Amino acid sequence: MNCYTWLSLLLTLGQLRPCLPSMQNHNTHKMKQPFATLQRVKRGWVWSQFFVLEEQILTEPLCVGQLKSDSDKHDGTFKYILTGDGAGSIFTIDEYTGTIHVTQKLDREEKPFYTLRAQAINRNTQLPVEPESEFIIKVQDINDHEPKFLDGPYEATVPEMSPEGTSVIQVTATDGDDPAYGNSARLLYSILQGQPYFSVEPKTGVIRISSQMDRETKEQYFVIIQAKDMVGQMGGFSGTATVTINLSDINDNKPKFQQKFYYMNISEAAPAGSTIGKIMAEDSDIGENAAMNYVIEGDESLVFDIITNNETQEGIVILKERVDYESKRRYSVRTKAVNRQMDGRFMKEGPFEDTTIIKISVEDADEPPVFTSQNYVMEIAEGATNGSLVGAITARDPDNANSPIRYSIVHSTYLKRLFSINAHSGTIIITKLLDRETAAWHNITVTATETRNPEQISEVTVYVQVLDVNDHAPEFPKHYEIYVCENARSGQLIQTISAVDKDDSVEGHHFYFDLAREATNNSNFTVRDNQDNTAGILTAKNGFSRQEQFAFFLPVLIVDNGTPSLTSTNTLTVSVCDCDTEASAESCRFGAFMFSMGLSIETLVAVSACILIILVFFLAMLVLRQRRKQSLFPDKPEEFRENIVRYDDEGGGEEDTEAFDISALRTRTVMREHKSRRNITTEIQSLYRQSLQVGPDSAVFREFILEKLKEANTDPTVPPYDSLQTYAFEGTGSLAGSLSSLGSSMSDVDENFDYLTERGPDFKQLACMYDPIKSATD
């Protein structure tokens, strides 16, 4: 047969065969438990795979297998070549025998298999004697990895009181070994800590509840789960994980009061809405399961109320209506606390509520007076005489002391002028006539004060309605301007009139219109009552002449339906107009207005001309005045100007010439020849002495002042804003005498000024001015 025989360690029916020795005298290595498969074909070679155990510690190269061609005569002419993954480094081949060796330790987790190619060539011709064939050397797994829980640590939550068998969480461990070979990666789960409340399924790692648990007893458990490979057999690896299991709350506990009775006090003076006290029922549950409502049972719920503080779950007892010590001093309030949410699984144990009794005692307090009504409504007819009774109010002291009450009207000086109240009896009378048409209602504030304790005051409002009396006659609602055309026909309606009445009418107003008695013989106009509170004015003849009579006065009688009925006579003025065929009302009214003023066309023209002349005269005066203002200083307008300089600082004195340019302020009359200043110290001293004996009208002063003023005006070095002021005379006739230091002595002999020189150089000049002898000596 022309075929090739490959020798290797062959795994056949569970037997291991060692590598065959070479036919040549070449060294061969003894194999250490290699595995290989051999496939024989008629032509060529086809490889399957070899097996090598991982993690073997090699002291020498390990024989993996041997490959050999059937044509090999063992004469050394065949050469075996190995290429591919790890060829030459990890795997070597004996080129004469075809034996393959592994030279180093292999790790399946790093590389599970190696793909290699083998070929046999003629050593002499270097030509292939067999085609190249590919085969695989697979690294066979051993149990060298322990199970690991990659998702740990675990945490789960399960409701308390869950039934047995309830799934809590599933834990999963992984093993790095090959799951397809042996039991190295086959894991088995067990529980090391957490019994008897929890259990774990060995194959799936699902943790389940094995016994009911109460959160109020213990709310957190730590469970340790172990995963062991080799299906839990001895010698396998294991890994553990901790599972934290929390119990969530359910409403399995009802609220419970710690006290059977609660005692509280409330003052009878406390207003509605006041807080009386707090109660609290305890619930072992938490969150919404512990939320509760407090309810007051019975008739006491009309007087007291209780609200729940959602944050603290306290019941706050408040006063719903004011209590009275004198009426009832003690209350027994039955109160219950009820859970807001119920769990149907525990309803068979009874309602989730608890009941307690609140004992509330009412404390006595000095209360203000109490009126018999919250407000009073009284009536009085308008026009009632002064002192007429309006009504009476009553208040009492609710305390046992029963203090007398004093009444008074407050808050309005105006009402005090209209009404008066008896301080002891509370009767109200009027002190001034009331007019309903002025004010139909009066709101009076009355106070009741305890005479024994004036601080106890109460107020009440008294509403006084002024009843209407028919005391106002009807009248026209407005002034009517009535016009009739000269060409009006008899029976023509020229105006519709109505009436108003300030009084009220229970049945509604109804007015009757007619001509007044003095106008019954009027042959010009008539009045037609429309029976709807209006009347029409109609002409009684054909045609009117404005030349004969410009206006007619028509008295109209109006009667109301009051009790007693009142009448009034109102006069209408009917003006005659010169109307065209269309009887234009506008032109008629304008002409009537002009004639009512007593003005003719000629008069209007004259008045208009006078007004125009006055306006022209007034305009002419304005023009002349304006021209006169412009003609002032016509010769040199450019040299006339006025400067207003305002500054708030004091400047730098006479030597400050840098602030502004003063040359622009000087005129040609001031720019004169410079005249040097004289030393006027002695002159001032002599003038001072003379001023003590002469008045301000002395010629000496006038001459001195004029001379100094002239000198200042002609000196260009002096700033123009400086002025010389002399205060040498203080007046005569004063009983107090002179207060000036200049008059402290009547002569040079009376005063010694030597002390000025002792004060330093700053006072030297002053000493020379007041002591000329010393100055001359110096």
Side-chain angles (χ1 to χ4, degrees), residues 383-642:
T385 59
N386 292 346
S388 297
L389 178 65
V390 179
I393 61 173
T394 304
R396 65 177 181 84
D397 183 7
D399 301 317
N400 294 331
N402 196 18
S403 173
I405 305 300
R406 184 178 182 85
Y407 304 94
S408 61
I409 296 176
V410 295
H411 302 331
S412 176
T413 305
Y414 169 73
L415 292 176
K416 289 182 179 179
R417 291 198 300 263
L418 299 179
F419 301 93
S420 176
I421 188 170
N422 189 295
H424 303 286
S425 64
T427 56
I428 300 174
I429 61 174
I430 62 172
T431 56
K432 190 177 180 180
L433 293 178
L434 303 179
D435 185 9
R436 190 205 64 82
E437 287 70 35
T438 302
W441 286 88
H442 296 279
N443 301 336
I444 306 173
T445 302
V446 177
T447 59
T449 307
E450 293 184 9
T451 57
R452 297 175 184 172
N453 186 5
E455 294 182 356
Q456 298 296 334
I457 303 174
S458 297
E459 289 185 356
V460 73
T461 301
V462 181
Y463 302 97
V464 179
Q465 182 183 14
V466 181
L467 301 178
D468 184 50
V469 174
N470 193 20
D471 57 350
H472 290 81
E475 58 185 359
F476 288 141
K478 62 180 181 178
H479 173 70
Y480 289 102
E481 296 179 356
I482 305 177
Y483 308 97
V484 62
C485 293
E486 288 182 313
N487 56 357
R489 297 183 304 275
S490 178
Q492 181 178 343
L493 178 65
I494 60 174
Q495 182 68 47
T496 299
I497 61 175
S498 62
V500 293
D501 194 334
K502 296 181 180 179
D503 297 319
D504 280 339
S505 177
V506 179
E507 300 177 354
H509 288 294
H510 189 74
F511 304 109
Y512 305 93
F513 300 87
D514 199 358
L515 286 175
R517 181 176 301 177
E518 60 270 20
T520 53
N521 297 326
N522 190 310
S523 60
N524 298 313
F525 304 96
T526 59
V527 177
R528 181 181 64 192
D529 194 339
N530 297 329
Q531 300 299 320
D532 60 355
N533 292 338
T534 64
I537 307 299
L538 295 86
T539 59
K541 66 175 185 177
N542 292 322
F544 294 86
S545 176
R546 61 191 299 209
Q547 300 298 332
E548 294 178 1
Q549 186 173 353
F550 174 74
F552 296 89
F553 299 98
L554 184 63
V556 177
L557 180 68
I558 307 176
V559 184
D560 63 13
N561 62 336
T563 304
S565 62
L566 297 180
T567 62
S568 66
T569 300
N570 299 265
T571 302
L572 296 173
T573 301
V574 183
S575 302
V576 180
C577 298
D578 183 11
C579 303
D580 52 15
T581 56
E582 298 179 358
S584 175
E586 295 297 331
S587 62
C588 180
R589 292 177 181 175
F590 177 75
F593 172 75
M594 299 303 299
F595 280 101
S596 64
M597 298 294 295
L599 300 176
S600 63
I601 300 300
E602 294 79 3
T603 305
L604 290 176
V605 173
V607 171
S608 300
C610 292
I611 294 175
L612 182 59
I613 293 173
I614 293 173
L615 290 176
V616 171
F617 177 75
F618 180 73
L619 291 175
M621 293 294 294
L622 291 177
V623 173
L624 291 175
R625 180 173 296 181
Q626 187 66 23
R627 290 183 177 179
R628 181 175 300 175
K629 287 183 178 181
Q630 294 178 355
S631 63
L632 295 176
F633 305 99
D635 296 333
K636 299 179 180 180
E638 68 282 355
E639 295 184 2
F640 179 79
R641 64 172 176 260
E642 182 178 26

Side-chain angles (χ1 to χ4, degrees), residues 17 21 57 76 81 116 173 197 204 214 228 245 300 382 409 439 444 568 601 636 646 659 667 715 726-727 750:
R17 295 183 180 180
I57 301 175
I81 300 173
L116 299 171
Y197 302 107
T204 62
D214 187 7
K228 191 173 183 180
I245 301 177
E300 281 74 12
E382 66 173 331
I409 296 176
I444 306 173
S568 66
I601 300 300
K636 299 179 180 180
R646 180 180 182 273
T667 61
D715 189 359
T726 304
Y727 302 93
D750 297 334

